[in-house]
Amino acid sequence: MKKDNQTIKSLLLLLGILLLVSLSPNLVFGATPSSGTAAKWGRLSVKDTQLVNKKGKAVQLKGVSTHGIAWFPDYVNQKQFKSWKKFGANTVRLALYSDPSAGYSRSLYKKVDQGVKSATKLGMYVIIDWHILSDGNPNTYKSEAKHFFKRMAKKYRNQTNIIYEICNEPNGNVSWSSDIKPYANTIIKTIRKYDKKNIILVGTPTWSQDVDTAAKDPITGQKNIMYTLHFYAATHGQYLRDKAQTALDEGLPIFVSEFSICDASGNGGINYTEAKAWIKFLKKNKIPFVAWNVSNKAETSSLIQSSCSKTGKIKRSDLSETGRWLIKQF
Ligand code: IDC
């Protein structure tokens, strides 16, 4: 009798474990955030133009982007991300340049994995950014992009803190309707085969500025798609906020996945007046914002002082002028 009870108890325990694993594999294996903002807000979705949490309440993501992870791989670590979390960020963007001349190689997938893991442990959202730039047209490396997003969506399909950014900044002779949108439809299909729910960000023409063009011909038949707007405050002012307002009025969900307050080269002087106007606009509309870039490169957009060589934990006094401004906005 005693032995039977023991067997039944063991069986029940085993059953319980199996049930838990099948219901929430990520919780059990530790892949989904168990603390921090990403645990509290859970899986995000898009309601009209607004990003909302698992309860349908409007939320605003705020964060930082790495520089190209081929050039500055050492900043992709948990201690560095934790410092940003302490400064008030809830999101990290991992920028993988797609052009081999900017360091692209499949060997960097592991670096992306490290970044995702670090952000997840901290309960932060993480953007996996396919950073097209000199390759202008996202179709230039479309088959490589498919390979990349298939790999990532398969791996992270059940993780609730993942955001896919499928083409950083289309530019040059590219059209929304005949180049970018078809590319987006292909990559969205690739991702959705595995990951049915996480947010997907789509770049817009002219270095992700023409959200008004996308608003006239948005992607249809898909959920949880947002469109990126990028600005550099010393170059882009009211006219770009007007474009954004037009797009919002037409119902386009906007995500600022990259910006800075210097000029579009990533360098030059800071325009505090425009920076203030932008932040006011973003906060009013609860638009997510992610600042370029976590590195100590000697350029204005770098958030860490060039004299600081630490790549792990950093303090407020290690930040550049841009970095110190940024954390006040968080
Ligand atoms: C810049 C970097 C700079 C690098 C250059 C070329 O700050 O160090 O040499 O790229 O790769 C963007 C791009 C982003 C740019 C940034 C500043 O998304 O990659 O980074 N910028 O020029 N769009 C507008 C500005």
Side-chain angles (χ1 to χ4, degrees):
M1 192 59 187
K2 213 173 171 190
K3 210 173 167 195
D4 278 359
N5 269 345
Q6 206 56 43
T7 315
I8 290 171
K9 264 191 193 162
S10 312
L11 274 174
L12 280 176
L13 187 69
L14 193 71
L15 225 91
I17 293 171
L18 282 175
L19 191 73
L20 202 66
V21 171
S22 65
L23 286 178
S24 52
N26 283 327
L27 206 70
V28 175
F29 297 119
T32 271
S34 52
S35 66
T37 309
K40 199 168 99 198
W41 290 351
R43 198 191 290 280
L44 305 173
S45 61
V46 180
K47 199 168 145 195
D48 302 321
T49 59
Q50 183 63 56
L51 196 58
V52 300
N53 67 12
K54 62 182 175 193
K55 292 182 181 151
K57 192 175 162 281
V59 292
Q60 190 174 25
L61 297 185
K62 299 166 191 177
V64 289
S65 173
T66 67
H67 200 293
I69 59 172
W71 291 318
F72 293 94
D74 296 347
Y75 292 93
V76 182
N77 69 75
Q78 203 176 323
K79 284 186 178 146
Q80 173 67 217
F81 292 178
K82 190 174 180 186
S83 302
W84 288 102
K85 181 181 169 178
K86 281 192 181 155
F87 295 143
N90 55 32
T91 303
V92 172
R93 177 187 194 233
L94 305 168
L96 173 60
Y97 277 79
S98 50
D99 193 328
S101 72
Y104 176 76
S105 142
R106 286 189 188 177
S107 64
L108 288 165
Y109 290 14
K110 286 260 175 298
K111 220 0 111 201
V112 174
D113 291 340
Q114 273 174 30
V116 170
K117 197 169 176 188
S118 303
T120 304
K121 281 202 176 143
L122 295 163
M124 300 173 91
Y125 290 93
V126 57
I127 303 173
I128 299 177
D129 164 36
W130 184 252
H131 203 82
I132 74 156
L133 189 63
S134 49
D135 37 339
N137 189 329
N139 294 295
T140 311
Y141 297 118
K142 186 170 88 175
S143 56
E144 199 58 26
K146 273 168 83 172
H147 183 273
F148 176 71
F149 284 108
K150 180 179 174 188
R151 152 73 161 71
M152 294 302 162
K154 238 174 152 174
K155 191 169 171 74
Y156 296 118
R157 62 205 288 177
N158 292 319
Q159 226 175 284
T160 55
N161 63 326
I162 305 290
I163 297 170
Y164 306 95
E165 181 169 0
I166 64 174
C167 50
N168 168 49
E169 292 185 353
N171 65 86
N173 189 23
V174 280
S175 122
W176 166 256
S177 297
S178 51
D179 300 308
I180 306 169
K181 193 180 167 187
Y183 165 85
N185 278 326
T186 302
I187 303 299
I188 290 168
K189 215 172 113 196
T190 302
I191 295 173
R192 286 290 181 249
K193 184 164 178 221
Y194 303 100
D195 187 330
K196 309 282 182 214
K197 294 184 187 158
N198 281 317
I199 306 288
I200 299 176
L201 308 181
V202 182
T204 55
T206 321
W207 295 278
S208 288
Q209 291 170 48
D210 299 344
V211 281
D212 51 340
T213 309
K216 291 197 174 58
D217 180 21
I219 286 155
T220 53
Q222 296 288 345
K223 280 189 189 146
N224 297 332
I225 307 294
M226 297 182 86
Y227 300 79
T228 61
L229 172 74
H230 290 179
F231 69 85
Y232 282 73
T235 304
H236 313 114
Q238 188 57 44
Y239 80 97
L240 193 55
R241 287 191 290 280
D242 291 345
K243 263 176 184 285
Q245 190 58 58
T246 304
L248 285 175
D249 292 346
E250 290 183 23
L252 200 80
I254 290 178
F255 195 118
V256 173
S257 56
E258 188 189 300
F259 80 98
S260 189
I261 56 176
C262 56
D263 69 40
S265 70
N267 210 348
I270 293 172
N271 187 331
Y272 283 110
T273 314
E274 279 301 329
K276 199 173 159 194
W278 271 110
I279 289 295
K280 195 175 159 201
F281 176 77
L282 298 174
K283 291 198 170 165
K284 179 173 164 243
N285 293 293
K286 283 207 164 66
I287 295 174
F289 60 91
V290 175
W292 185 259
N293 72 75
V294 177
S295 82
N296 71 343
K297 186 168 174 176
E299 58 180 14
T300 317
S301 60
S302 298
L303 298 167
I304 299 170
Q305 280 187 29
S306 48
S307 59
C308 170
S309 57
K310 294 182 239 172
T311 54
K313 183 179 173 188
I314 49 165
K315 295 184 301 209
R316 194 185 172 282
S317 54
D318 296 322
L319 297 178
S320 66
E321 196 176 336
T322 305
R324 289 199 299 274
W325 172 88
L326 179 70
I327 64 171
K328 281 192 219 138
Q329 320 308 317
F330 282 157

